[in-house]
Amino acid sequence: MAGVDDEAGLEAVRVRFLGRSGEITTLRRGIGALPPAERPDAGKVINAAVESLEAMLTEKSRELGRRALDAALATSIDVTFPGAPSRAGSLHPLRRTLEDACGYFERRGFAVVLGNEIETEYYNFDALNIPPDHPAREGLDSFYLRSGALLRTHTSPMQVRTMQANPPPIAIVTPGKAYRRDAVDARHSYMFHQLEGLLVAPGIHLGHLKGMLTGLFRELFGPAQTVRFRPSFFPFTEPSAEIDTTCPGCAGSGSLADGNACRTCGGSGWIEMGGAGMVHPGVLRESGYDPDAVSGWAFGMGIERLAMVRHGIDDIRVLFENDPRVLAQLA
Ligand SMILES: [Zn+2]
């Protein structure tokens, strides 16, 4: 074996001993001619010889491989030559925004809870104080299943589910998909992601929410963000407010450096981010809480909206088309 220095030589050794008419093969064939008592021992000796020969062949083959690689590296491959960069993937902007927003609340003691995407009418509407004649309950606005259940139109059902299962205090955020029968355009999609927050404890008021959201927008958009509440109406909160934050596109001034009105905010200096309010006493009661003992706020906003403002995207479809060139730019 020591004299063998290529694969052909190795093969010659193999054939000489283990080939069809090789020396060991011939010995094995001769076993039948031995007296029966000697056959087992002869078999054992031959098997041991085959085993050790095969081990030697394998080791030699590896050694030849190593030598061939060394030779190739030494002559034809320049190991100092710069390699082709491999393109690493990155988190989708929606996923990253969702994780950053949830992380913000988690660091402040909130738990992240996920819910079912298929909900009952009770949790999606009734328990949230949404009356039977509300337009959202019509098949035109929501996706109903044959069973009468529906694809949740918001992540709010988890509020009641969590409160019914746990005594106060409650501090949760519930991110997830929601579905509405919207035609797809630059601002709408039949599927979108919501981030909902709920804080219920004695003495909670809207000031806590304003502070919490200001911190969130500063973390996601920049240190100069402020928050404005505009009076609004939702069945599940009272009072209710639309949440606006400073437009990062024009720093809240409404106009750009060239004097033109900011397109991101339409010149108002504010961007609408979602809805919020104090949890309606009816919702607290439905959850088994005493509205005289505890109060709470809830908010809901679209994660697409957060990501669009964060990255200066003006068309929601960009987030769903997943063009690798765009994703690389947003990474
Ligand atoms: Zn603006």
Side-chain angles (χ1 to χ4, degrees):
M1 201 68 77
V4 174
D5 57 5
D6 59 15
E7 287 290 336
L10 203 60
E11 180 61 9
V13 172
R14 199 190 63 78
V15 170
R16 182 179 154 200
F17 292 99
L18 302 175
R20 204 174 300 173
S21 42
E23 292 179 21
I24 293 181
T25 315
T26 310
L27 281 176
R28 184 173 270 153
R29 285 205 193 101
I31 289 179
L34 293 172
E38 291 173 22
R39 286 179 200 166
D41 282 343
K44 265 186 222 163
V45 170
I46 290 172
N47 284 343
V50 169
E51 235 171 72
S52 75
L53 184 61
E54 277 174 347
M56 286 161 76
L57 287 168
T58 308
E59 176 47 38
K60 189 73 188 179
S61 172
R62 282 206 195 111
E63 186 197 319
L64 290 175
R66 276 195 299 271
R67 253 195 262 163
L69 181 63
D70 285 345
L73 286 173
T75 56
S76 61
I77 299 174
D78 180 358
V79 291
T80 63
F81 197 74
S86 61
R87 262 196 265 158
S90 59
L91 285 180
H92 192 279
L94 276 179
R95 165 61 55 185
R96 210 171 50 246
T97 300
L98 186 153
E99 286 186 359
D100 290 348
C102 287
Y104 168 84
F105 285 100
E106 280 181 295
R107 291 198 300 281
R108 282 153 185 83
F110 283 68
V112 176
V113 297
L114 306 174
N116 310 327
E117 287 178 32
I118 296 175
E119 263 299 355
T120 61
E121 277 203 287
Y122 168 75
Y123 280 111
N124 198 79
F125 298 124
D126 298 300
L128 291 163
N129 211 32
I130 299 175
D133 57 349
H134 195 279
R137 303 183 71 138
E138 284 175 27
L140 279 175
D141 286 336
S142 310
F143 292 106
Y144 279 88
L145 280 71
R146 261 196 288 274
S147 64
L150 73 162
L151 297 181
R152 65 179 176 191
T153 60
H154 46 192
T155 45
S156 313
M158 273 319 286
Q159 293 186 13
V160 177
R161 282 184 180 278
T162 305
M163 286 193 281
Q164 284 181 349
N166 303 280
I170 295 282
I172 57 165
V173 282
T174 68
K177 292 185 181 112
Y179 301 84
R180 291 179 196 173
R181 280 203 167 188
D182 278 328
V184 176
D185 63 22
R187 294 173 60 97
H188 299 91
S189 169
Y190 49 83
M191 186 280 291
F192 58 98
H193 297 76
Q194 255 197 343
L195 178 70
E196 187 119 351
L198 174 71
L199 179 66
V200 181
I204 293 298
H205 57 76
L206 279 180
H208 298 134
L209 176 61
K210 205 166 193 178
M212 199 65 83
L213 292 176
T214 304
L216 174 69
F217 295 143
R218 285 185 180 169
E219 186 158 309
L220 293 180
F221 306 148
Q225 293 303 120
T226 55
V227 168
R228 174 176 86 167
F229 285 162
R230 271 180 299 116
S232 184
F233 173 81
F234 305 110
F236 32 87
T237 45
E238 179 57 37
S240 303
E242 302 278 353
I243 309 162
D244 292 346
T245 190
T246 324
C247 171
C250 58
S253 69
S255 54
L256 302 175
D258 58 11
N260 288 325
C262 172
R263 276 181 55 206
T264 312
C265 59
S268 73
W270 294 96
I271 296 192
E272 190 182 322
M273 295 307 302
M278 295 302 292
V279 181
H280 195 286
V283 175
L284 290 175
R285 267 193 293 272
E286 190 64 32
S287 306
Y289 286 17
D290 176 3
D292 293 324
V294 292
S295 57
W297 49 247
F299 72 85
M301 58 181 89
I303 294 171
E304 282 79 2
R305 188 105 186 97
L306 286 171
M308 286 165 77
V309 173
R310 192 182 199 186
H311 294 291
I313 300 168
D314 57 7
D315 191 323
I316 195 171
R317 289 168 291 198
V318 167
L319 292 170
F320 297 126
E321 279 162 0
N322 291 326
D323 184 328
R325 293 163 301 180
V326 176
L327 294 182
Q329 212 176 321
L330 299 177

